Amino acid sequence: MSAPQHRHVFRDVQALRGGVPEAGDLALTDFHMIFKFPAESRIAADSRLKKQVKQVWFAYPLIAHCTLRPTPPSSGIPSSIRLRFRDFTFVTFNFPDDKQARDAFEFVRARTCRLGSIEKLLAFHYTPPPGSPEHKINGWDIYDARAEFRRQGISEKSADIGWRISTINKDYTFSPTYPALLVVPSKISDNTLKYAANFRSRARIPVLTYLHPVNNCTITRSSQPFVGLRMKRSIQDERLVAACFSSNEHLDSTQSTNADRSPASSHVDLSSDYAEDDLSLSETERMRMEEELAGVNAFYDEKTGKRLIYGAQQHNLIVDARPAINSYAMQAIGMGSENMDYYKFAKKSFLNIDNIHVMRDSLEKVINAIKDADVSPFPPNKELLAKSKWLKHITGILDGAAVIARQVGIQHSHVLIHCSDGWDRTSQLSALAQLMLDPYYRTIEGFIVLVEKDWLSFGHMFQLRSGHLSHESWFTVDNDALAGTAIRPGESDGRTDALGSVMAGAKRFWNKNIGGEKDKDTSTDADDTSALDDAKAGTAPVSEDQATKPRDVSPIFHQFLDATYQLLRQHPTRFEFNERFLRRLYYHVYSCQYGTFLCNNERQRREAKLRERTRSVWSYFLARRQEFTNDKYDPVVDDHVKERERIIFPKLDDIRWWYQLFNRTDDEMNGDINASIATQERVAAYQATLSEPGILSADSTSFSSPSEPGSRSSASPARRSPQPQQAAGLSQGKSMLASRESIHEALTPETRTSSALNRSASTGGIPATLGALQDKLSSLAIGKGVFGSSTGSSSSGKLSGSSDKPDDEGSKEQEMKEMS
């Protein structure tokens, strides 16, 4: 890629992050904001500074919110642009005069929410330097659906193991959001598939995504059925699901192969003591069972030594990722969840994972807790972090995926997953379960294949969920600043102004319903801005099929990467890739530098000819493989050796904030949790000493009960010691399978009301006195430069993540590595 053409350069701009300023020059190109420092004026005065020049690149599509704060010259306060990026970088640019700030704001807005088409994004203009390692790798060739299913043992030339490859969707007319190649049970014809398609939303019928290499049990996925209030049924759909759940019958000669019969597992007494006991196992019992059964001995009866027959131990499961009440509500519009009277060969479990709107709101609360990172050096607001329930959502997703992995890998059963349309929560659960089950997906190539298969190929709507073309409402003008006020931590900056939202909604309602005008976005006012001529010329109307709809934007893939990070952190030797690999993948989902995550499904990508017109992000990662390789990785798999087993499971009492992604330190994000665990461990150690011989027992010591002050406790210290989940801020809950139709909720740390009374809402748990001091200090230029050397710390003022320039310029590769 040639050097970018600077359309506009603004001299002596002050960048502010962490309350610390850095003077430099801001250059605007067609695809990036580039901040260079020290400023040219300083270099002219001192030539020695020329060797210290650095630059930070901000890709326009990463802008999540931009606020212009114009101020009158008489105020003595510079006009500014305050930016929040998708990778949780926060920065404010202060301009020497008001016109420069307005011109920069209009130029940036024209290059984001007014492009009109994805074809104007960087991906269609980016090429790596000729001869570079990235240029020699074609990332589009990494994933081949036939090759992946051949790895799983399914192909036209190999022996029939119960599955076949269907080309019924080769032209995407059968199901436009499904991949062209579908793997379905061998005994189900394409004609049956056509009838079954009428019973599933968007014709997303149950199809195979994963076949376990040891026990041939499967993970299939689909969308919700058209049940409706009348609880309709489809014989073809029932046959298809039954065939999915009996696909390995032929592996045992005693099993019937009659396609018209329900699978043998349908005759298992699911109300037997064994089945019910299995569904009510405690967390400790389940962990013990996993350790015992994860190895090869799981396929033999320990008492008799006889081989376990496939199907006889099966508890096939239909997993509905939604809360049960949500699926019932969908029945009112003709959809819903399976009527299990017609699927007697399986049980069903609702996982209570919330929808895209709840997840979006949860992330917004996290952002509110950290959004002052540009003007304040103080840590996040811990109360707001807890109220976001983000860790609860990550825990619930991991717990649901663990249920699926356990059913397939330990219970030797089949699982069908769906949510509503089968491309959000379904992709999360399916991909995470496979990550737990198969060591291949924990390699760099395997993880790429997993993302391509379960996210891109199966139709997760990356463009819709990511909002690649931005939205007008993400650009606001804060005219209150004309009064001459400065930004203070915790102030409304246009991001969460509830009153403003209400007023804007009322104005749209009046225009649409009273004034007879069309519904307009009122976030901008032509009288408030004076745009650059070329900025105006660059605007174009956005087509309806590509337009960003804020209510459809949601951090679904973000949550998958966060959950993967939790597994990587808990099992550091089991993954070939490192944490930075996940962080850079998150960055490039939004950077639009590569074509991999553009469009919403496989059909759209083929129609846009992205393979021919853009580069694949996988070329970037494979060309820099050494940077993303985990030096602790142990590739050996041995089910007889602890920590080397094939299957891994999440530790639900050990979920932490992905602090690197939020550009914070571990102590800033996880300090309370870590301190709580340390306290719990000290208490447990002390109580353990009380039970040793010769030491005063707990029964002879007075313990105060919350309900009975001064009363003596008859409980032993072991019983009274805090549970690990409580130490991590998560409530002790039952297994997901403790109920057929429900799932437990793991709670995030609750707000401590006693301490909250003495804390400032804008200071993240800082006492009120210090909170007032913070407001005074935030406007002062104190501390290191905004681009300090401490990675990930807000206090260092360093910009990371979005600070990367296009990853093609080899001459500055080391600098880019440091900044990311």
Side-chain angles (χ1 to χ4, degrees), residues 699-713:
D699 289 345
S700 62
T701 305
S702 177
F703 291 92
S704 297
S705 170
S707 57
E708 299 178 11
S711 64
R712 297 165 60 94
S713 171

Side-chain angles (χ1 to χ4, degrees), residues 6 21 100 237 240 262 312 361 374 379 404 422 468 496 503 523 527 531 579 602 605 648 686 688 718 747 756 769:
H6 293 177
Q100 289 187 0
D237 184 77
L240 175 56
S262 295
D361 293 343
D374 51 348
I404 297 166
H468 288 146
T496 58
M503 296 301 294
S523 61
D527 295 335
E579 179 274 335
E602 186 178 286
R605 293 184 188 95
I648 64 173
Y686 170 73
L747 302 178
T769 304

Side-chain angles (χ1 to χ4, degrees), residues 352-371:
N352 288 335
I353 298 175
D354 288 308
N355 61 30
I356 62 171
H357 310 297
V358 174
M359 300 308 186
R360 180 180 62 250
D361 293 343
S362 176
L363 183 59
E364 283 297 322
K365 289 183 175 66
V366 176
I367 291 169
N368 287 336
I370 65 176
K371 72 175 184 178

